[in-house]
Amino acid sequence: MENMKEFVKATATERGCDGNEAFKELFREYVFHHSCIMRFIETMQVTFGGQLSSMLFISACIICSTAVQILAIESPLDNLTTVGWILVYLSLCILILFVDCYFGNTITVKCAYLPTAVFSIPWLDQPKNIQVSTLLFMAKTQQPVQLIAAKLVPVSLTTFTQVMNWTYKGFALMNQMKK
């Protein structure tokens, strides 16, 4: 949306219409794209919400128990292959959890920027009906958008940090019990 003026000029030239019609057409495409993204997020939440929430819990348990397994190895220098595979497994579990949380966070951050991007387009130069549509779209985009796991937990980098904190607390508790 930052280059809306250039897109309007290019669309007007390409389609042989005036600037208002080109703006209206581009704006309609942006609104349609946004509604597709919102439907996709809703579908993701319905389809994978339970899976994401259980993955957060199970990942914490797996990472914690795997870290305890590393400390349970009697002589790590004699079993470098075992330690290496456990570290690879641990890293992959953390990476899978991080990627899901990162993309959930990216959705939230990008959607939070959208009202500012919409406001920055040249909508004040348009006819009243387009101005009203733009204002309504800005109001709609001001609602926070988050990918939520099972309608309980937002999937974000904050959640990743919390899960890793739970994992460390569980690891410390299990390690203390082992001694």
Side-chain angles (χ1 to χ4, degrees), residues 1-11 15 22-39 114 117-123 130 133-134 137-138 140-141:
M1 288 193 167
E2 292 86 12
N3 301 327
M4 186 72 162
K5 287 182 181 179
E6 290 84 22
F7 288 146
V8 168
K9 288 178 187 176
T11 303
R15 297 187 182 163
F23 181 89
K24 188 176 178 181
E25 192 64 35
L26 285 172
F27 187 70
R28 184 178 298 130
E29 289 175 15
Y30 288 145
V31 171
F32 179 73
H33 184 71
H34 180 262
S35 66
C36 288
I37 291 170
M38 296 305 291
R39 276 186 276 150
L114 193 56
V118 172
F119 187 77
S120 69
I121 63 175
W123 61 280
I130 295 176
S133 297
T134 306
F137 184 63
M138 274 192 277
K140 180 177 171 53
T141 59

Side-chain angles (χ1 to χ4, degrees), residues 34-55:
H34 180 262
S35 66
C36 288
I37 291 170
M38 296 305 291
R39 276 186 276 150
F40 176 73
I41 292 170
E42 184 178 317
T43 302
M44 286 285 295
Q45 289 178 9
V46 169
T47 307
F48 299 112
Q51 179 184 349
L52 284 172
S53 63
S54 62
M55 184 204 59

Side-chain angles (χ1 to χ4, degrees), residues 98-170:
F98 176 77
V99 167
D100 288 340
C101 291
Y102 174 77
F103 285 116
N105 192 69
T106 301
I107 289 170
T108 302
V109 169
K110 296 275 184 180
C111 288
Y113 173 70
L114 193 56
T116 305
V118 172
F119 187 77
S120 69
I121 63 175
W123 61 280
L124 292 173
D125 303 334
Q126 302 303 317
K128 283 286 186 201
N129 62 343
I130 295 176
Q131 289 179 3
V132 170
S133 297
T134 306
L135 283 173
L136 290 172
F137 184 63
M138 274 192 277
K140 180 177 171 53
T141 59
Q142 287 178 351
Q143 298 172 355
V145 176
Q146 281 188 322
L147 183 60
I148 299 178
K151 297 183 182 179
L152 297 172
V153 182
V155 181
S156 66
L157 291 177
T158 304
T159 306
F160 174 77
T161 304
Q162 290 173 343
V163 169
M164 294 309 291
N165 282 336
W166 297 336
T167 300
Y168 178 73
K169 289 174 185 176

